[in-house]
Amino acid sequence: MSRLDPVFARSRAEGRAALIGYLPAGYPTVDGSAERLTAMIDSGCDIVEVGVPYSDPVMDGPTVQAAADLALRGGFRLRDLFRVVEQVSSAGGHAVVMTYWNPVHRYGVDRFARDLAAAGGLGVITPDLIPDEGADWIAAAAEHDLDRIFLVAPSSSTERIATTTAATTGFLYAAAVMGVTGARDRVGVAASGLVARARECTDLPIAVGLGVRSGDQAAEIAGFADAVVVGSAFVSRAGEVAKLRELAEELADGVRRPMVPSR
Amino acid sequence: MTSETHTDPGRDQHQHSEHDPEHGHFGPYGGRYLPEALIGAMDELAAVYEKARLDPEFIAEFTGLLRDYAGRPSLLTEAPRFAEHAGGARIFLKREDLNHTGSHKINNVLGQALLTKRMGKTRVIAETGAGQHGVATATACALMGLECVVYMGEVDTQRQALNVARMRLLGAEVIPVTTGSRTLKDAINEALRDWVANVDTTHYLLGTAAGAHPFPMMVRNFHKVIGQEARAQIVDQAGRLPDAVTACVGGGSNAIGMFHGFIDDPSVRLVGFEPGGRGSEPGEHGATLSEGSPGMLHGALSYLLQDEDGQTIEAYSISAGLDYPGVGPEHAWLKDTGRAEYRPVTDAEAMDAFQLLSRTEGIIPAIESAHALAGTLRLGRELGPDGLIVVCLSGRGDKDMDTAAKYFGFMES
Ligand SMILES: Cc1ncc(COP(=O)(O)O)c(C=O)c1O
């Protein structure tokens, strides 16, 4: 049982997709990021992804890279992550962490899992850790009751989708496009096929991310996925909390009008 | 393994303690710490390489190109006047500088370009630091009719401007990278980002024995010819195995190719020299094995220059080709097992050796290779007059004239 199950049970009961919003911890400041993540939840995000700023984010485009750089130059430390997660969780939000693996490896995988769980975090999305390399994380996540949210991509073979979903808990993250993060005009063509292939292997909720920036795109994805992940679009509006709220509201509206009936 | 002796919290957590280099595991090091989107491409590359390496047609094509195009075997040249500064030990130079395009990089590039064609891909991307790998890649792409895009840190495009011009002349597109430290590490990040988006048509022709499996094993195998030739040549020319073989270590490709020719000869010491830069403080060097700790970068677990939070620390070296905070995973394993030793060499020591080899032997080395030469001088003094050392002269120094002229003040009239 995942502690995220009730979130998806509710969105399913409401005939819509869940909305997941991403912002790096420490951007623009540590407290500023907690405030913004909380505002995103108030304005319609069902789950937030708290990003860990990292020096070499190979899965990220310029928007997220620049935000991570700014956070690191501002003195972000890994221990600040737990403070942000704690503030978001104690405000009633559901928080998962999105992190490249080396910071966790360096901190100590079990120690990271313990501290994240203590802060109220619910799981970790791991863009550069595949289950094949993740035995220690899989054990630590089980020990501390955290979800391990692995990714599948349009290039994933059927066998890899099967082994990846078997190692995943909470929800599966489907990368909508072959490419890095960043808002795009079109998403979803490859994504719907990928979601359909993944559904053959798993009953887990499936979240689709990479590139979404508008309510209409959210509605399109809500037509075939259980959750819509939005990152860069939030990051580029993080300068003003009011703009963040506006986007969250637009997207929350989008996930409530799925373009085709979901299954 | 020696994990008890390390204090890093990350040190004891490796699940792949089995040593299985053919599958990318060098003791605990190596692996595939990459986005899932790239795993299919890595599997395809590994499969195509596994087939090719046993295919007589591929072997003939590869060795034919090495001979008729790259100019192999490269010479083994004794350097007696240089060796006078090494306490009388005999020193032989493995002349990778004489290869077509001027460095060892061509060995790996020809191998991977052939594989690119086998995979039916038409576009090649590469990173480059000194520009030698970029030039070699642009050369092979010109030879084989492949589209070529080279990512190069903006800092390096300036200090290696001549190589940028060479790549463009050869028909490659050179993209200056303006993120992070604007050097090799960031060029690799950009190449990986390009690859994720274009993996159907594009092969990422990685230039060193680092990265995710199969790169460390495959790149090493393409460079093994260095050590194999050197072993036969030294036995022929000096009548015995050397006491040590040496090489500079950036990502580790020329060193691992050299070392592998002697790895089963326990009497031969394997010594790698890393860029010690301006000192041992973080950010002042690129001595990953000497000063770093285990961590992941660009797809593999190896030694890494990183801070307490696992953020990569930017490397520094006067030599663009050694300015990298990571290192190939096999070197991490050779270090931990004690089979190889790694030592830092400062900018100043390297530049002294750069000038010394030029003036004693009439051979201008790459500044990368000058690190190996400087370390070899020290090692020679340790071994004494009976010592015999083969050093990998990984490349020629023409590309470094601008840096050298500034360093030595040759531009002043
Ligand atoms: C001449 C030369 N030697 C050595 C290196 C370092 O690379 P590696 O450690 O992979 O041999 C380079 C890299 O650009 C180079 O150009």
Side-chain angles (χ1 to χ4, degrees):
Chain A
M1 272 294 95
S2 159
R3 289 185 284 160
L4 289 168
D5 286 351
V7 178
F8 291 103
R10 194 178 64 214
S11 58
R12 274 176 176 163
E14 293 173 7
R16 64 171 178 100
L19 176 62
I20 304 179
Y22 165 92
L23 201 70
Y27 182 72
T29 61
V30 173
D31 289 336
S33 60
E35 181 199 339
R36 282 162 178 76
L37 286 158
T38 309
M40 285 157 64
I41 291 166
D42 290 346
S43 305
C45 288
D46 299 285
I47 299 171
V48 286
E49 268 181 39
V50 186
V52 174
Y54 176 55
S55 53
D56 295 276
V58 296
M59 270 297 281
D60 285 303
T63 305
V64 175
Q65 278 178 54
D69 269 3
L70 193 131
L72 290 172
R73 271 188 277 117
F76 174 84
R77 296 294 314 269
L78 197 56
R79 57 173 173 268
D80 299 327
L81 170 74
F82 305 114
R83 204 167 98 212
V84 173
V85 170
E86 190 158 20
Q87 288 179 35
V88 172
S89 309
S90 56
H94 299 98
V96 297
V97 162
M98 162 87 114
T99 182
Y100 291 91
W101 201 242
N102 195 51
V104 179
H105 176 262
R106 181 71 170 158
Y107 193 83
V109 175
D110 192 72
R111 180 174 166 231
F112 184 89
R114 186 196 66 201
D115 291 356
L116 179 60
L122 301 178
V124 185
I125 302 170
T126 52
D128 64 350
L129 184 74
I130 56 173
D132 322 41
E133 305 287 359
D136 49 358
W137 161 234
I138 289 169
E143 167 78 25
H144 298 284
D145 195 17
L146 294 170
D147 281 318
R148 28 180 214 259
I149 300 147
F150 290 107
L151 284 79
V152 292
S155 62
S156 300
S157 66
T158 306
E159 298 74 54
R160 287 208 57 83
I161 291 176
T163 53
T164 302
T165 53
T168 300
T169 62
F171 65 92
L172 181 70
Y173 192 125
V177 291
M178 290 298 286
V180 296
T181 57
R184 287 174 171 79
D185 289 336
R186 287 175 51 84
V187 287
V189 191
S192 62
L194 174 60
V195 169
R197 288 200 295 140
R199 294 228 192 266
E200 310 258 303
C201 301
T202 183
D203 293 329
L204 283 170
I206 301 178
V208 168
L210 286 196
V212 186
R213 64 171 189 189
S214 71
D216 287 345
Q217 287 173 325
E220 182 192 348
I221 289 170
F224 59 84
D226 304 291
V228 179
V229 185
V230 179
S232 298
F234 277 120
V235 174
S236 55
R237 278 170 189 73
E240 282 177 63
V241 178
K243 289 242 170 86
L244 270 187
R245 287 185 182 278
E246 227 169 77
L247 178 66
E249 284 160 13
E250 178 190 333
L251 295 163
D253 172 63
V255 297
R256 283 170 174 76
R257 48 183 175 86
M259 263 176 45
V260 291
S262 50
R263 289 161 293 129
Chain B
M1 277 298 309
T2 56
S3 40
E4 312 78 53
T5 61
H6 291 259
T7 51
D8 294 290
R11 196 65 180 71
D12 295 300
Q13 302 161 349
H14 314 306
Q15 45 280 5
H16 296 288
S17 37
E18 273 150 75
H19 182 62
D20 185 7
E22 291 299 301
H23 295 97
H25 297 290
F26 302 93
Y29 301 107
R32 280 183 176 170
Y33 296 89
L34 275 186
E36 167 64 24
L38 289 174
I39 300 299
M42 304 305 285
D43 280 340
E44 180 192 16
L45 180 61
V48 169
Y49 173 63
E50 283 310 320
K51 247 181 107 180
R53 68 192 290 196
L54 302 172
D55 178 352
E57 201 178 309
F58 179 85
I59 296 167
E61 244 180 316
F62 180 54
T63 51
L65 281 173
L66 287 182
R67 183 189 63 229
D68 303 328
Y69 190 72
R72 303 206 72 93
S74 67
L75 298 176
L76 187 74
T77 306
E78 183 160 17
R81 280 174 35 78
F82 179 74
E84 283 172 19
H85 300 262
R90 288 182 80 184
I91 296 176
F92 286 75
L93 312 173
K94 180 58 178 162
R95 300 291 305 280
E96 294 300 297
D97 61 316
L98 296 178
N99 295 338
H100 181 44
T101 71
S103 80
H104 70 290
K105 297 283 181 188
I106 193 76
N107 304 326
N108 166 50
V109 162
L110 289 171
Q112 285 195 51
L114 287 174
L115 291 179
T116 305
K117 300 208 83 165
R118 289 202 155 207
M119 289 185 285
K121 293 185 173 181
T122 54
R123 180 173 176 266
V124 166
I125 56 174
E127 82 297 341
T128 197
Q132 289 304 97
H133 175 60
V135 167
T137 303
T139 298
C141 288
L143 177 70
M144 299 189 201
L146 296 163
E147 183 188 342
C148 180
V149 174
V150 179
Y151 290 93
M152 187 169 189
E154 193 180 44
V155 170
D156 295 335
T157 60
Q158 288 154 11
R159 60 180 161 176
Q160 306 285 339
L162 206 58
N163 270 345
V164 175
R166 288 169 82 194
M167 288 183 266
R168 289 186 172 145
L169 176 64
L170 290 159
E173 182 186 354
V174 180
I175 301 183
V177 173
T178 56
T179 51
S181 59
R182 304 171 186 224
T183 61
L184 186 54
K185 155 180 102 72
D186 309 285
I188 296 177
N189 290 343
E190 275 314 303
L192 286 169
R193 291 180 185 120
D194 178 318
W195 204 25
V196 175
N198 299 296
V199 68
D200 284 348
T201 59
T202 300
H203 174 59
Y204 180 11
L205 207 161
L206 184 68
T208 191
H213 177 70
F215 281 112
M217 177 263 291
M218 179 179 76
V219 174
R220 172 250 277 162
N221 288 349
F222 286 140
H223 281 304
K224 261 186 182 170
V225 63
I226 304 172
Q228 286 165 345
E229 286 176 7
R231 191 180 188 283
Q233 288 165 321
I234 192 70
V235 168
D236 183 45
Q237 290 171 231
R240 70 169 176 101
L241 283 173
D243 301 301
V245 296
T246 64
C248 65
V249 180
S253 69
N254 87 92
I256 205 72
M258 184 69 166
F259 290 178
H260 260 267
F262 300 88
I263 203 151
D264 296 326
D265 299 311
S267 69
V268 181
R269 282 167 67 185
L270 311 175
V271 189
F273 296 103
E274 300 192 288
R278 295 180 289 230
S280 58
E281 297 77 45
E284 295 294 307
H285 63 85
T288 309
L289 290 156
S290 309
E291 303 286 346
S293 54
M296 295 100 182
L297 180 66
H298 297 144
L301 176 66
S302 184
Y303 277 71
L304 176 65
L305 299 175
Q306 60 185 330
D307 71 12
E308 257 180 87
D309 281 350
Q311 308 288 350
T312 310
I313 295 175
E314 290 167 9
Y316 160 78
S317 169
I318 192 170
S319 138
L322 303 181
D323 198 344
Y324 181 56
V327 67
E330 190 167 5
H331 287 293
W333 172 243
L334 292 177
K335 173 189 160 81
D336 280 11
T337 57
R339 179 64 189 93
E341 311 153 52
Y342 300 88
R343 307 176 178 185
V345 164
T346 64
D347 282 359
E349 290 172 293
M351 292 311 286
D352 284 350
F354 177 87
Q355 189 172 56
L356 186 66
L357 190 76
S358 303
R359 294 192 172 177
T360 54
E361 303 289 346
I363 297 171
I364 301 174
I367 298 178
E368 290 79 15
S369 321
H371 285 71
L373 292 164
T376 300
L377 289 174
R378 254 197 277 152
L379 187 63
R381 286 181 217 119
E382 290 165 29
L383 292 176
D386 296 332
L388 176 64
I389 307 174
V390 180
V391 51
C392 186
L393 192 72
S394 56
R396 67 181 186 223
D398 310 42
K399 69 183 175 61
D400 294 315
M401 278 310 109
D402 194 46
T403 303
K406 283 186 189 124
Y407 185 89
F408 294 113
F410 293 153
M411 299 304 214
E412 292 143 30
S413 46

